[in-house]
Amino acid sequence: MSNKQPIGFIDSGVGGLTVVKEALRQLPNENILYLGDTARCPYGPRPAEQVIEFTWQMTRFLIDQGIKLLVIACNTATAVALEEIKAQVDIPVIGVIQPGARAALKASQTGKVGVIGTLGTVKSMSYEKELKEKSPTVSVTSLACPKFVPIVESNQFLSPVAKKVVAETLVPLHNKYLDTLILGCTHYPLLRPIIQNVMGKKVTMIDSGAETVNDLSTLLDYFDLNNYDLNDNKICKFYTTGSPKMFQEIADEWLDIRDLIVEHISLDD
Ligand code: DGL
């Protein structure tokens, strides 16, 4: 294992880019490979068995490319596949749920925490379990927001449609007196200004993906896997199972990097 080997990030689409953005900021020396399974996005409404199968396909693809560590930058996949994958591969693997839950407990003053995520993540109750295991008295209100991911994937996250959908979807969270809201889907930070506006300034938003980069940094130290080669030509490469054009447009805008290398690949044949 060489420290120069890239870190792998996987997601059902562009959501994991919100994790990569934070990784580029905190760990600029690391080489990065990203795979978004855009052709089969969203994962949220799919049965757990299928999400596990797709997550394995992505994992194997990036392991074959020689990654030194894997970040499952997708809550839906973390909820159902993290434990299995962690147990069966011989590189370190982290997901996004534990770091998000930990950050929420740190931020909340009142113990009233909200979680928004995909249908799969909410159904798994993974956040509730993580939160309550550490702090049994915490009150958790979860809400599935299945309309958010398609808005982000179609690059409409700044549009008036996005504002309307977010406002309508979050109505059940009104009058719950939440002081902290976990963005329990890595696509949601792209809608964060709109979500914050609807929830009000007093509610602290937790970006579970960005929090994961703190854990990633700790793991690199723990396993002595940091890339120390400062003169290395950095690799930052993106694969998608969908259209590279749409992926590139969103990635350019979100990561603010021009001329990203985006390559189309197939996973299911
Ligand atoms: N970005 C993903 C997550 O964090 C998955 C969204 C989806 O494909 O439904 O859950």
Side-chain angles (χ1 to χ4, degrees):
M1 173 80 66
S2 143
N3 292 26
K4 284 192 201 175
Q5 286 171 246
I7 298 170
F9 294 80
I10 54 174
D11 179 50
S12 62
V14 294
L17 294 176
T18 62
V19 190
V20 169
K21 187 180 172 107
E22 188 60 21
L24 289 170
R25 197 180 70 77
Q26 284 191 42
L27 302 164
N29 212 31
E30 293 300 327
N31 292 308
I32 285 173
L33 290 186
Y34 182 95
L35 170 56
D37 192 8
T38 319
R40 301 186 293 195
C41 187
Y43 279 10
R46 294 181 183 274
E49 301 70 43
Q50 199 175 41
V51 175
I52 295 170
E53 184 193 333
F54 292 175
T55 308
W56 266 115
Q57 289 173 353
M58 291 196 286
T59 301
R60 288 195 195 101
F61 178 84
L62 286 189
I63 286 180
D64 287 349
Q65 311 298 308
I67 55 170
K68 63 181 177 186
L69 193 151
L70 176 69
V71 181
I72 303 185
C74 172
N75 291 263
T76 315
T78 298
V80 294
L82 174 67
E83 290 314 316
E84 179 177 319
I85 290 177
K86 212 158 93 175
Q88 292 183 39
V89 302
D90 53 13
I91 55 168
V93 182
I94 54 170
V96 283
I97 291 180
Q98 275 182 342
R102 209 181 299 129
L105 290 175
K106 188 173 168 194
S108 179
Q109 300 296 320
T110 62
K112 291 191 187 307
V113 175
V115 181
I116 52 174
T118 65
L119 285 166
T121 301
V122 169
K123 207 166 126 204
S124 76
M125 297 187 66
S126 300
Y127 275 103
E128 279 89 338
K129 283 179 208 149
E130 287 296 333
L131 290 162
K132 286 198 176 280
E133 242 169 51
K134 288 205 164 68
S135 177
T137 57
V138 78
S139 128
V140 186
T141 306
S142 299
L143 179 69
C145 305
K147 290 186 178 162
F148 289 7
V149 169
I151 287 178
V152 173
E153 286 288 332
S154 57
N155 204 358
Q156 290 188 72
F157 51 93
L158 300 172
S159 69
V161 177
K163 281 189 190 155
K164 186 168 179 286
V165 169
V166 171
E168 284 171 5
T169 307
L170 297 182
V171 167
L173 297 184
H174 295 169
N175 305 322
K176 298 282 183 198
Y177 305 105
L178 306 174
D179 77 339
T180 305
L181 181 68
I182 300 175
L183 305 179
C185 170
T186 52
H187 282 74
Y188 297 178
L190 288 114
L191 294 164
R192 183 177 181 151
I194 304 177
I195 297 171
Q196 182 82 66
N197 199 32
V198 171
M199 294 303 294
K201 280 201 287 277
K202 287 189 184 149
V203 179
T204 305
M205 301 282 138
I206 303 294
D207 178 342
S208 58
E211 295 297 335
T212 301
V213 178
N214 302 333
D215 281 28
L216 171 59
S217 185
T218 308
L219 267 192
L220 290 172
D221 291 343
Y222 184 80
F223 289 104
D224 193 15
L225 281 174
N226 288 291
N227 183 16
Y228 300 113
D229 188 347
L230 300 173
N231 299 317
D232 199 18
N233 272 337
K234 290 285 147 316
I235 299 166
C236 192
K237 185 166 181 185
F238 299 83
Y239 298 99
T240 174
T241 57
S243 143
K245 189 172 172 287
M246 180 68 101
F247 188 96
Q248 182 142 22
E249 276 170 21
I250 300 174
D252 276 356
E253 171 147 1
W254 182 248
L255 299 178
D256 204 18
I257 306 177
R258 299 300 132 205
D259 303 321
L260 284 176
I261 312 165
V262 184
E263 192 181 307
H264 172 83
I265 59 137
S266 294
L267 286 173
D268 49 356
D269 47 41

Coordinates of all heavy atoms in Angstrom, one line a residue, residues 10-16 18 34 37 40-46 72-78 96 117-121 127 146 149-150 153 183-188 208, ligand 1:
I10 N -17.7 7.1 -3.1 CA -18.8 6.6 -3.9 C -20.1 7.2 -3.5 O -20.3 7.5 -2.3 CB -18.9 5.1 -3.9 CG1 -19.0 4.5 -2.5 CG2 -17.8 4.5 -4.7 CD1 -19.2 3.0 -2.4
D11 N -21.0 7.4 -4.5 CA -22.4 7.9 -4.2 C -23.2 7.5 -5.3 O -22.8 7.1 -6.4 CB -22.3 9.5 -4.1 CG -23.7 10.0 -3.8 OD1 -24.4 9.5 -2.9 OD2 -24.2 10.9 -4.5
S12 N -24.6 7.6 -5.1 CA -25.5 7.3 -6.2 C -25.4 8.3 -7.3 O -26.0 8.1 -8.4 CB -26.9 7.3 -5.6 OG -27.2 8.6 -5.2
G13 N -24.8 9.5 -7.1 CA -24.8 10.5 -8.2 C -23.8 11.6 -7.8 O -22.7 11.3 -7.4
V14 N -24.3 12.8 -7.9 CA -23.4 14.0 -7.6 C -23.3 14.3 -6.1 O -22.5 15.2 -5.7 CB -23.8 15.2 -8.4 CG1 -23.6 15.0 -9.9 CG2 -25.2 15.7 -8.0
G15 N -24.1 13.7 -5.2 CA -24.2 14.1 -3.8 C -22.8 14.0 -3.1 O -22.5 14.9 -2.4
G16 N -22.1 13.0 -3.4 CA -20.8 12.8 -2.7 C -19.8 13.9 -3.0 O -18.8 14.0 -2.3
T18 N -20.3 16.8 -2.4 CA -20.3 17.7 -1.2 C -19.2 17.3 -0.2 O -18.7 18.1 0.5 CB -21.7 17.8 -0.6 OG1 -22.1 16.6 -0.1 CG2 -22.7 18.3 -1.5
Y34 N -13.5 9.4 -7.7 CA -14.9 9.5 -7.3 C -15.7 8.7 -8.3 O -15.5 8.8 -9.5 CB -15.3 11.0 -7.4 CG -16.8 11.3 -7.0 CD1 -17.1 11.6 -5.7 CD2 -17.8 11.1 -7.9 CE1 -18.4 11.8 -5.3 CE2 -19.1 11.3 -7.5 CZ -19.4 11.7 -6.2 OH -20.7 11.9 -5.8
D37 N -23.0 6.8 -9.3 CA -23.8 5.9 -10.1 C -25.1 6.6 -10.7 O -26.2 6.1 -10.4 CB -24.2 4.7 -9.2 CG -24.8 3.5 -10.0 OD1 -24.8 3.5 -11.2 OD2 -25.3 2.6 -9.3
R40 N -28.3 5.1 -12.2 CA -29.3 4.3 -11.3 C -29.7 5.2 -10.1 O -30.4 4.6 -9.2 CB -28.6 3.0 -10.9 CG -28.3 2.1 -12.1 CD -27.8 0.8 -11.7 NE -26.5 0.8 -11.0 CZ -25.8 -0.3 -10.8 NH1 -26.2 -1.5 -11.4 NH2 -24.6 -0.3 -10.2
C41 N -29.4 6.5 -10.2 CA -29.8 7.4 -9.1 C -31.3 7.7 -9.3 O -31.7 7.9 -10.4 CB -29.0 8.6 -9.2 SG -29.3 9.8 -7.8
P42 N -32.2 7.8 -8.3 CA -31.8 7.8 -6.9 C -31.8 6.4 -6.3 O -32.5 5.5 -6.7 CB -33.0 8.6 -6.3 CG -34.1 8.4 -7.1 CD -33.6 8.2 -8.5
Y43 N -31.0 6.2 -5.2 CA -31.0 5.0 -4.5 C -32.1 5.0 -3.4 O -32.5 3.9 -3.0 CB -29.6 4.8 -3.8 CG -28.5 4.3 -4.6 CD1 -28.6 4.2 -6.0 CD2 -27.3 3.9 -4.0 CE1 -27.5 3.7 -6.7 CE2 -26.2 3.4 -4.7 CZ -26.3 3.3 -6.1 OH -25.3 2.8 -6.8
G44 N -32.5 6.1 -3.0 CA -33.4 6.3 -1.8 C -34.6 5.4 -1.9 O -34.9 4.7 -0.9
P45 N -35.4 5.3 -3.0 CA -36.6 4.5 -3.0 C -36.3 3.0 -3.3 O -37.2 2.2 -3.3 CB -37.4 5.1 -4.2 CG -36.6 6.2 -4.7 CD -35.2 6.1 -4.2
R46 N -35.1 2.6 -3.5 CA -34.8 1.2 -3.9 C -34.7 0.3 -2.7 O -34.4 0.7 -1.6 CB -33.4 1.1 -4.6 CG -33.4 1.8 -6.0 CD -32.0 1.7 -6.6 NE -32.0 2.4 -7.9 CZ -32.4 1.9 -9.1 NH1 -32.9 0.7 -9.1 NH2 -32.3 2.6 -10.2
I72 N -17.8 5.9 1.8 CA -19.1 5.7 1.2 C -19.9 7.1 1.5 O -20.4 7.3 2.5 CB -19.9 4.5 1.9 CG1 -19.1 3.3 1.7 CG2 -21.3 4.4 1.3 CD1 -19.7 2.0 2.2
A73 N -19.8 7.9 0.5 CA -20.3 9.3 0.6 C -21.8 9.4 0.3 O -22.2 10.3 -0.4 CB -19.4 10.2 -0.3
C74 N -22.5 8.4 0.8 CA -23.9 8.3 0.5 C -24.6 7.8 1.8 O -24.2 6.7 2.2 CB -24.1 7.4 -0.7 SG -25.8 6.9 -1.0
N75 N -25.5 8.5 2.3 CA -26.2 8.0 3.5 C -27.0 6.7 3.3 O -27.0 5.8 4.1 CB -27.1 9.1 4.1 CG -26.4 10.3 4.6 OD1 -26.2 10.4 5.8 ND2 -26.0 11.2 3.7
T76 N -27.7 6.7 2.1 CA -28.5 5.5 1.8 C -27.7 4.3 1.8 O -28.1 3.2 2.3 CB -29.3 5.8 0.5 OG1 -29.8 7.1 0.5 CG2 -30.4 4.8 0.3
A77 N -26.5 4.4 1.1 CA -25.7 3.2 1.0 C -25.0 2.9 2.3 O -24.8 1.7 2.7 CB -24.6 3.5 -0.1
T78 N -24.6 3.9 3.1 CA -24.0 3.7 4.4 C -24.9 3.0 5.3 O -24.5 2.0 6.0 CB -23.6 5.1 5.0 OG1 -22.7 5.8 4.2 CG2 -23.1 4.9 6.4
V96 N -21.0 8.0 6.2 CA -21.3 9.4 6.6 C -22.3 9.5 7.8 O -22.5 10.7 8.2 CB -21.9 10.1 5.4 CG1 -20.8 10.5 4.4 CG2 -23.0 9.4 4.7
G117 N -33.6 13.0 5.1 CA -32.8 12.0 4.3 C -33.7 11.4 3.2 O -34.9 11.8 3.1
T118 N -33.2 10.4 2.6 CA -33.9 9.7 1.6 C -34.9 8.7 2.3 O -34.8 8.4 3.5 CB -33.0 8.9 0.6 OG1 -32.4 7.8 1.4 CG2 -32.0 9.7 0.0
L119 N -35.8 8.1 1.5 CA -36.7 7.1 2.0 C -35.9 6.0 2.7 O -36.3 5.5 3.8 CB -37.6 6.6 0.9 CG -38.7 7.5 0.4 CD1 -39.3 7.0 -0.9 CD2 -39.8 7.6 1.5
G120 N -34.9 5.5 2.0 CA -34.1 4.4 2.5 C -33.4 4.7 3.8 O -33.4 3.9 4.7
T121 N -32.8 5.9 3.9 CA -32.1 6.3 5.1 C -33.1 6.4 6.3 O -32.9 5.9 7.4 CB -31.3 7.6 4.9 OG1 -30.4 7.4 3.8 CG2 -30.6 8.0 6.2
Y127 N -29.9 6.9 11.8 CA -29.5 8.1 12.6 C -30.1 8.0 14.0 O -29.4 8.3 15.0 CB -30.0 9.4 11.9 CG -29.0 9.9 10.9 CD1 -29.2 9.7 9.5 CD2 -27.8 10.5 11.3 CE1 -28.2 10.2 8.6 CE2 -26.9 11.0 10.4 CZ -27.1 10.8 9.1 OH -26.2 11.3 8.2
P146 N -38.1 12.8 -0.6 CA -37.7 12.1 -1.8 C -37.6 13.0 -3.0 O -37.1 12.6 -4.1 CB -38.8 11.1 -2.0 CG -39.9 11.5 -1.1 CD -39.3 12.3 0.0
V149 N -33.5 14.9 -4.1 CA -32.4 14.4 -5.0 C -32.6 14.7 -6.5 O -31.7 15.1 -7.1 CB -32.1 12.9 -4.7 CG1 -31.1 12.3 -5.7 CG2 -31.5 12.8 -3.2
P150 N -33.8 14.4 -7.0 CA -34.0 14.7 -8.4 C -33.7 16.2 -8.8 O -33.2 16.5 -9.9 CB -35.4 14.3 -8.7 CG -35.7 13.2 -7.7 CD -35.0 13.7 -6.4
E153 N -29.9 16.5 -8.9 CA -29.3 15.8 -10.1 C -29.6 16.4 -11.4 O -28.9 16.3 -12.3 CB -29.8 14.3 -10.1 CG -29.2 13.4 -9.0 CD -27.7 13.0 -9.3 OE1 -27.3 13.0 -10.4 OE2 -27.0 12.8 -8.3
L183 N -28.5 17.1 7.8 CA -28.7 17.0 6.3 C -28.2 15.5 6.0 O -27.1 15.3 5.7 CB -27.9 18.0 5.5 CG -28.2 19.5 5.9 CD1 -27.4 20.4 5.0 CD2 -29.7 19.8 5.7
G184 N -29.1 14.6 6.2 CA -28.8 13.2 6.2 C -28.8 12.6 4.8 O -29.1 11.4 4.6
C185 N -28.4 13.4 3.8 CA -28.2 12.9 2.4 C -27.2 13.8 1.8 O -27.3 15.1 2.0 CB -29.6 13.0 1.6 SG -29.3 12.8 -0.1
T186 N -26.2 13.3 1.2 CA -25.1 14.1 0.7 C -25.5 15.0 -0.4 O -24.7 15.9 -0.8 CB -23.9 13.2 0.3 OG1 -24.3 12.2 -0.6 CG2 -23.3 12.6 1.6
H187 N -26.6 14.8 -1.0 CA -27.1 15.8 -2.0 C -27.6 17.1 -1.4 O -27.7 18.1 -2.1 CB -28.3 15.2 -2.8 CG -27.9 14.2 -3.9 ND1 -27.5 12.9 -3.6 CD2 -27.9 14.3 -5.2 CE1 -27.2 12.3 -4.7 NE2 -27.4 13.1 -5.7
Y188 N -28.1 17.0 -0.2 CA -28.8 18.1 0.4 C -28.0 19.4 0.7 O -28.6 20.5 0.6 CB -29.5 17.7 1.7 CG -30.6 16.7 1.5 CD1 -31.3 16.2 2.6 CD2 -31.0 16.2 0.3 CE1 -32.3 15.2 2.5 CE2 -31.9 15.2 0.2 CZ -32.6 14.7 1.3 OH -33.6 13.7 1.2
S208 N -23.6 16.1 7.1 CA -23.0 14.8 7.6 C -21.7 14.5 6.7 O -20.8 13.9 7.2 CB -24.0 13.7 7.5 OG -24.5 13.6 6.2
Ligands
DGL1 N1 -26.7 11.0 -1.8 C1 -27.3 9.9 -1.3 C2 -27.5 9.9 0.2 O1 -26.7 10.5 0.9 C3 -28.3 9.2 -2.1 C4 -29.4 9.9 -2.7 C5 -30.3 8.9 -3.6 O2 -29.7 8.4 -4.5 O3 -31.5 8.8 -3.3 O4 -28.4 9.3 0.7

